[in-house]
Short mmCIF file of all heavy atoms in Angstrom, two decimals:
data_model
loop_
_atom_site.label_atom_id
_atom_site.label_comp_id
_atom_site.label_asym_id
_atom_site.label_seq_id
_atom_site.Cartn_x
_atom_site.Cartn_y
_atom_site.Cartn_z
N THR A 4 -53.92 2.30 3.01
CA THR A 4 -52.65 2.12 2.33
C THR A 4 -52.84 1.71 0.91
O THR A 4 -53.42 0.70 0.61
CB THR A 4 -51.76 1.05 3.05
OG1 THR A 4 -51.63 1.41 4.39
CG2 THR A 4 -50.37 1.05 2.39
N GLU A 5 -52.31 2.54 0.00
CA GLU A 5 -52.35 2.22 -1.41
C GLU A 5 -51.28 1.24 -1.77
O GLU A 5 -50.10 1.37 -1.36
CB GLU A 5 -52.24 3.48 -2.25
CG GLU A 5 -52.41 3.27 -3.76
CD GLU A 5 -52.37 4.60 -4.51
OE1 GLU A 5 -51.25 5.15 -4.67
OE2 GLU A 5 -53.44 5.06 -4.92
N GLY A 6 -51.63 0.23 -2.56
CA GLY A 6 -50.65 -0.81 -2.97
C GLY A 6 -49.98 -0.48 -4.31
O GLY A 6 -50.24 0.60 -4.92
N ALA A 7 -49.13 -1.34 -4.76
CA ALA A 7 -48.50 -1.20 -6.07
C ALA A 7 -49.56 -1.08 -7.17
O ALA A 7 -50.65 -1.64 -7.05
CB ALA A 7 -47.58 -2.41 -6.32
N ASP A 8 -49.21 -0.36 -8.22
CA ASP A 8 -50.15 -0.15 -9.35
C ASP A 8 -51.42 0.60 -8.93
O ASP A 8 -52.41 0.49 -9.59
CB ASP A 8 -50.54 -1.47 -10.03
CG ASP A 8 -49.41 -2.14 -10.71
OD1 ASP A 8 -48.32 -1.53 -10.86
OD2 ASP A 8 -49.57 -3.34 -11.07
N SER A 9 -51.35 1.27 -7.79
CA SER A 9 -52.50 2.01 -7.23
C SER A 9 -53.68 1.03 -6.94
O SER A 9 -54.84 1.41 -7.01
CB SER A 9 -52.92 3.10 -8.19
OG SER A 9 -51.93 4.05 -8.36
N ARG A 10 -53.34 -0.23 -6.63
CA ARG A 10 -54.35 -1.22 -6.36
C ARG A 10 -54.48 -1.40 -4.85
O ARG A 10 -53.69 -0.91 -4.08
CB ARG A 10 -54.04 -2.56 -7.01
CG ARG A 10 -53.87 -2.40 -8.53
CD ARG A 10 -53.82 -3.74 -9.23
NE ARG A 10 -53.46 -3.58 -10.62
CZ ARG A 10 -53.85 -4.40 -11.58
NH1 ARG A 10 -54.62 -5.41 -11.29
NH2 ARG A 10 -53.47 -4.20 -12.81
N ASP A 11 -55.56 -2.08 -4.46
CA ASP A 11 -55.88 -2.26 -3.04
C ASP A 11 -55.59 -3.74 -2.70
O ASP A 11 -56.11 -4.64 -3.34
CB ASP A 11 -57.32 -1.91 -2.77
CG ASP A 11 -57.60 -0.46 -3.01
OD1 ASP A 11 -56.74 0.37 -2.74
OD2 ASP A 11 -58.73 -0.17 -3.47
N PHE A 12 -54.85 -3.91 -1.61
CA PHE A 12 -54.58 -5.28 -1.16
C PHE A 12 -54.86 -5.41 0.34
O PHE A 12 -54.52 -4.54 1.14
CB PHE A 12 -53.13 -5.67 -1.46
CG PHE A 12 -52.70 -5.54 -2.87
CD1 PHE A 12 -51.83 -4.57 -3.31
CD2 PHE A 12 -53.30 -6.37 -3.81
CE1 PHE A 12 -51.50 -4.42 -4.64
CE2 PHE A 12 -52.99 -6.22 -5.16
CZ PHE A 12 -52.09 -5.24 -5.58
N SER A 13 -55.43 -6.55 0.72
CA SER A 13 -55.73 -6.77 2.12
C SER A 13 -55.15 -8.08 2.56
O SER A 13 -55.34 -8.49 3.72
CB SER A 13 -57.27 -6.80 2.33
OG SER A 13 -57.91 -7.59 1.35
N HIS A 14 -54.34 -8.79 1.73
CA HIS A 14 -53.75 -10.04 2.16
C HIS A 14 -52.49 -10.28 1.37
O HIS A 14 -52.29 -9.78 0.24
CB HIS A 14 -54.73 -11.17 1.94
CG HIS A 14 -54.26 -12.51 2.47
ND1 HIS A 14 -54.00 -12.69 3.81
CD2 HIS A 14 -54.05 -13.70 1.86
CE1 HIS A 14 -53.60 -13.95 3.99
NE2 HIS A 14 -53.63 -14.59 2.84
N VAL A 15 -51.56 -11.07 1.95
CA VAL A 15 -50.30 -11.41 1.25
C VAL A 15 -49.88 -12.78 1.75
O VAL A 15 -50.10 -13.16 2.91
CB VAL A 15 -49.20 -10.34 1.52
CG1 VAL A 15 -48.90 -10.22 3.01
CG2 VAL A 15 -47.94 -10.63 0.72
N GLY A 16 -49.20 -13.55 0.88
CA GLY A 16 -48.62 -14.84 1.22
C GLY A 16 -47.30 -15.05 0.47
O GLY A 16 -47.02 -14.31 -0.49
N ILE A 17 -46.57 -16.07 0.86
CA ILE A 17 -45.25 -16.37 0.27
C ILE A 17 -45.34 -17.66 -0.56
O ILE A 17 -45.81 -18.70 -0.04
CB ILE A 17 -44.17 -16.54 1.36
CG1 ILE A 17 -44.17 -15.39 2.34
CG2 ILE A 17 -42.80 -16.71 0.71
CD1 ILE A 17 -43.25 -15.57 3.52
N VAL A 18 -44.88 -17.62 -1.76
CA VAL A 18 -44.91 -18.79 -2.64
C VAL A 18 -43.86 -19.82 -2.20
O VAL A 18 -42.73 -19.46 -1.87
CB VAL A 18 -44.64 -18.41 -4.10
CG1 VAL A 18 -44.48 -19.62 -4.98
CG2 VAL A 18 -45.79 -17.56 -4.64
N TYR A 19 -44.26 -21.09 -2.19
CA TYR A 19 -43.39 -22.20 -1.81
C TYR A 19 -43.73 -23.37 -2.74
O TYR A 19 -44.87 -23.73 -2.96
CB TYR A 19 -43.77 -22.58 -0.34
CG TYR A 19 -43.36 -23.95 0.09
CD1 TYR A 19 -42.01 -24.33 0.15
CD2 TYR A 19 -44.28 -24.88 0.47
CE1 TYR A 19 -41.62 -25.62 0.59
CE2 TYR A 19 -43.93 -26.15 0.88
CZ TYR A 19 -42.64 -26.52 0.94
OH TYR A 19 -42.26 -27.76 1.35
N THR A 20 -42.66 -23.93 -3.38
CA THR A 20 -42.88 -25.08 -4.28
C THR A 20 -42.37 -26.35 -3.63
O THR A 20 -41.38 -26.39 -2.89
CB THR A 20 -42.16 -24.84 -5.60
OG1 THR A 20 -40.69 -24.68 -5.35
CG2 THR A 20 -42.64 -23.58 -6.31
N HIS A 21 -43.13 -27.41 -3.89
CA HIS A 21 -42.75 -28.72 -3.36
C HIS A 21 -43.18 -29.83 -4.34
O HIS A 21 -44.37 -29.87 -4.70
CB HIS A 21 -43.42 -28.95 -2.00
CG HIS A 21 -43.10 -30.23 -1.38
ND1 HIS A 21 -41.80 -30.55 -0.93
CD2 HIS A 21 -43.87 -31.34 -1.09
CE1 HIS A 21 -41.83 -31.78 -0.39
NE2 HIS A 21 -43.09 -32.29 -0.50
N ASN A 22 -42.26 -30.61 -4.77
CA ASN A 22 -42.53 -31.71 -5.74
C ASN A 22 -43.33 -31.17 -6.95
O ASN A 22 -44.33 -31.76 -7.37
CB ASN A 22 -43.36 -32.83 -5.03
CG ASN A 22 -42.52 -33.55 -4.02
OD1 ASN A 22 -41.27 -33.56 -4.08
ND2 ASN A 22 -43.20 -34.20 -3.07
N ASP A 23 -42.85 -30.06 -7.48
CA ASP A 23 -43.45 -29.46 -8.70
C ASP A 23 -44.85 -28.91 -8.48
O ASP A 23 -45.51 -28.51 -9.44
CB ASP A 23 -43.50 -30.44 -9.87
CG ASP A 23 -42.10 -30.84 -10.32
OD1 ASP A 23 -41.21 -29.96 -10.28
OD2 ASP A 23 -41.91 -31.99 -10.73
N SER A 24 -45.32 -28.85 -7.25
CA SER A 24 -46.57 -28.21 -6.94
C SER A 24 -46.33 -26.90 -6.22
O SER A 24 -45.31 -26.75 -5.49
CB SER A 24 -47.44 -29.09 -6.03
OG SER A 24 -47.85 -30.30 -6.71
N ILE A 25 -47.18 -25.93 -6.45
CA ILE A 25 -47.01 -24.61 -5.87
C ILE A 25 -47.98 -24.36 -4.76
O ILE A 25 -49.19 -24.62 -4.91
CB ILE A 25 -47.18 -23.51 -6.94
CG1 ILE A 25 -46.20 -23.78 -8.13
CG2 ILE A 25 -46.90 -22.14 -6.37
CD1 ILE A 25 -46.29 -22.78 -9.28
N PHE A 26 -47.50 -23.87 -3.64
CA PHE A 26 -48.29 -23.56 -2.47
C PHE A 26 -48.03 -22.10 -2.03
O PHE A 26 -47.12 -21.47 -2.52
CB PHE A 26 -47.92 -24.50 -1.29
CG PHE A 26 -48.14 -25.97 -1.63
CD1 PHE A 26 -47.15 -26.72 -2.23
CD2 PHE A 26 -49.35 -26.59 -1.29
CE1 PHE A 26 -47.36 -28.04 -2.51
CE2 PHE A 26 -49.56 -27.91 -1.57
CZ PHE A 26 -48.54 -28.66 -2.22
N VAL A 27 -48.86 -21.63 -1.09
CA VAL A 27 -48.70 -20.35 -0.55
C VAL A 27 -48.66 -20.45 1.00
O VAL A 27 -49.60 -21.02 1.58
CB VAL A 27 -49.83 -19.38 -0.95
CG1 VAL A 27 -49.58 -17.99 -0.38
CG2 VAL A 27 -49.93 -19.34 -2.45
N ILE A 28 -47.57 -20.03 1.62
CA ILE A 28 -47.51 -19.95 3.06
C ILE A 28 -48.15 -18.63 3.49
O ILE A 28 -47.72 -17.57 3.02
CB ILE A 28 -46.09 -20.06 3.57
CG1 ILE A 28 -45.33 -21.27 2.99
CG2 ILE A 28 -46.03 -20.14 5.12
CD1 ILE A 28 -43.84 -21.34 3.31
N GLU A 29 -49.14 -18.74 4.34
CA GLU A 29 -49.91 -17.52 4.67
C GLU A 29 -50.43 -17.62 6.12
O GLU A 29 -50.44 -18.70 6.74
CB GLU A 29 -51.08 -17.33 3.73
CG GLU A 29 -51.99 -18.54 3.67
CD GLU A 29 -53.24 -18.32 2.75
OE1 GLU A 29 -53.48 -17.16 2.37
OE2 GLU A 29 -53.87 -19.32 2.43
N ALA A 30 -50.87 -16.52 6.63
CA ALA A 30 -51.52 -16.45 7.95
C ALA A 30 -52.95 -15.94 7.69
O ALA A 30 -53.15 -14.86 7.22
CB ALA A 30 -50.79 -15.55 8.90
N THR A 31 -53.96 -16.77 8.05
CA THR A 31 -55.32 -16.39 7.82
C THR A 31 -56.10 -16.43 9.14
O THR A 31 -55.75 -17.13 10.06
CB THR A 31 -56.02 -17.37 6.83
OG1 THR A 31 -56.23 -18.64 7.46
CG2 THR A 31 -55.17 -17.55 5.57
N GLY A 32 -57.18 -15.70 9.15
CA GLY A 32 -58.01 -15.59 10.36
C GLY A 32 -58.62 -16.91 10.75
O GLY A 32 -58.82 -17.20 11.94
N SER A 33 -58.86 -17.77 9.78
CA SER A 33 -59.56 -19.05 10.08
C SER A 33 -58.59 -20.18 10.42
O SER A 33 -58.95 -21.12 11.14
CB SER A 33 -60.42 -19.48 8.88
OG SER A 33 -59.61 -19.63 7.72
N LYS A 34 -57.34 -20.13 9.88
CA LYS A 34 -56.46 -21.24 10.08
C LYS A 34 -55.15 -20.89 10.81
O LYS A 34 -54.34 -21.77 11.08
CB LYS A 34 -56.13 -21.90 8.74
CG LYS A 34 -57.34 -22.54 8.05
CD LYS A 34 -56.92 -23.19 6.75
CE LYS A 34 -58.12 -23.90 6.06
NZ LYS A 34 -57.71 -24.54 4.80
N GLY A 35 -54.86 -19.62 10.96
CA GLY A 35 -53.56 -19.24 11.47
C GLY A 35 -52.50 -19.41 10.38
O GLY A 35 -52.84 -19.27 9.15
N VAL A 36 -51.28 -19.73 10.74
CA VAL A 36 -50.22 -19.93 9.70
C VAL A 36 -50.49 -21.30 9.05
O VAL A 36 -50.49 -22.31 9.75
CB VAL A 36 -48.82 -19.85 10.32
CG1 VAL A 36 -47.79 -20.03 9.24
CG2 VAL A 36 -48.63 -18.49 10.96
N CYS A 37 -50.63 -21.32 7.72
CA CYS A 37 -50.95 -22.53 7.07
C CYS A 37 -50.29 -22.53 5.70
O CYS A 37 -49.82 -21.49 5.22
CB CYS A 37 -52.49 -22.70 6.92
SG CYS A 37 -53.30 -21.32 6.09
N ILE A 38 -50.30 -23.69 5.05
CA ILE A 38 -49.76 -23.84 3.69
C ILE A 38 -50.92 -24.24 2.75
O ILE A 38 -51.52 -25.25 2.93
CB ILE A 38 -48.61 -24.86 3.66
CG1 ILE A 38 -47.49 -24.43 4.59
CG2 ILE A 38 -48.10 -25.04 2.20
CD1 ILE A 38 -46.34 -25.38 4.66
N THR A 39 -51.21 -23.36 1.80
CA THR A 39 -52.36 -23.43 0.96
C THR A 39 -52.01 -23.73 -0.49
O THR A 39 -51.13 -23.09 -1.02
CB THR A 39 -53.19 -22.11 1.00
OG1 THR A 39 -53.48 -21.79 2.41
CG2 THR A 39 -54.47 -22.17 0.24
N PRO A 40 -52.69 -24.68 -1.15
CA PRO A 40 -52.43 -24.87 -2.58
C PRO A 40 -52.65 -23.59 -3.34
O PRO A 40 -53.63 -22.81 -3.08
CB PRO A 40 -53.45 -25.97 -2.98
CG PRO A 40 -53.70 -26.72 -1.71
CD PRO A 40 -53.65 -25.64 -0.62
N LEU A 41 -51.82 -23.29 -4.33
CA LEU A 41 -51.93 -22.04 -5.10
C LEU A 41 -53.32 -21.85 -5.67
O LEU A 41 -53.87 -20.73 -5.58
CB LEU A 41 -50.91 -22.07 -6.22
CG LEU A 41 -51.01 -20.85 -7.18
CD1 LEU A 41 -50.69 -19.54 -6.43
CD2 LEU A 41 -50.03 -21.03 -8.39
N GLN A 42 -53.91 -22.88 -6.26
CA GLN A 42 -55.21 -22.72 -6.91
C GLN A 42 -56.27 -22.27 -5.88
O GLN A 42 -57.12 -21.42 -6.17
CB GLN A 42 -55.67 -23.99 -7.62
CG GLN A 42 -56.77 -23.78 -8.62
CD GLN A 42 -56.42 -22.79 -9.71
OE1 GLN A 42 -55.40 -22.96 -10.39
NE2 GLN A 42 -57.23 -21.76 -9.86
#
């Protein structure tokens, strides 16, 4: 599947902000559904 801008993507997450910090809600093979710091 070709992604936007003809780029290749194999993962996606949702941005979530809390107390001025940015996180990503995602599902990963190692952790399942988790909340990850943006950096």
Side-chain angles (χ1 to χ4, degrees):
T4 305
E5 185 175 74
D8 293 348
S9 298
R10 303 190 189 210
D11 297 324
F12 303 113
S13 47
H14 188 57
V15 61
I17 310 173
V18 170
Y19 159 66
T20 59
H21 180 67
N22 292 338
D23 295 325
S24 295
I25 303 178
F26 300 88
V27 183
I28 308 174
E29 57 178 344
T31 72
S33 60
K34 295 182 178 179
V36 180
C37 57
I38 299 178
T39 304
L41 174 64
Q42 196 60 53

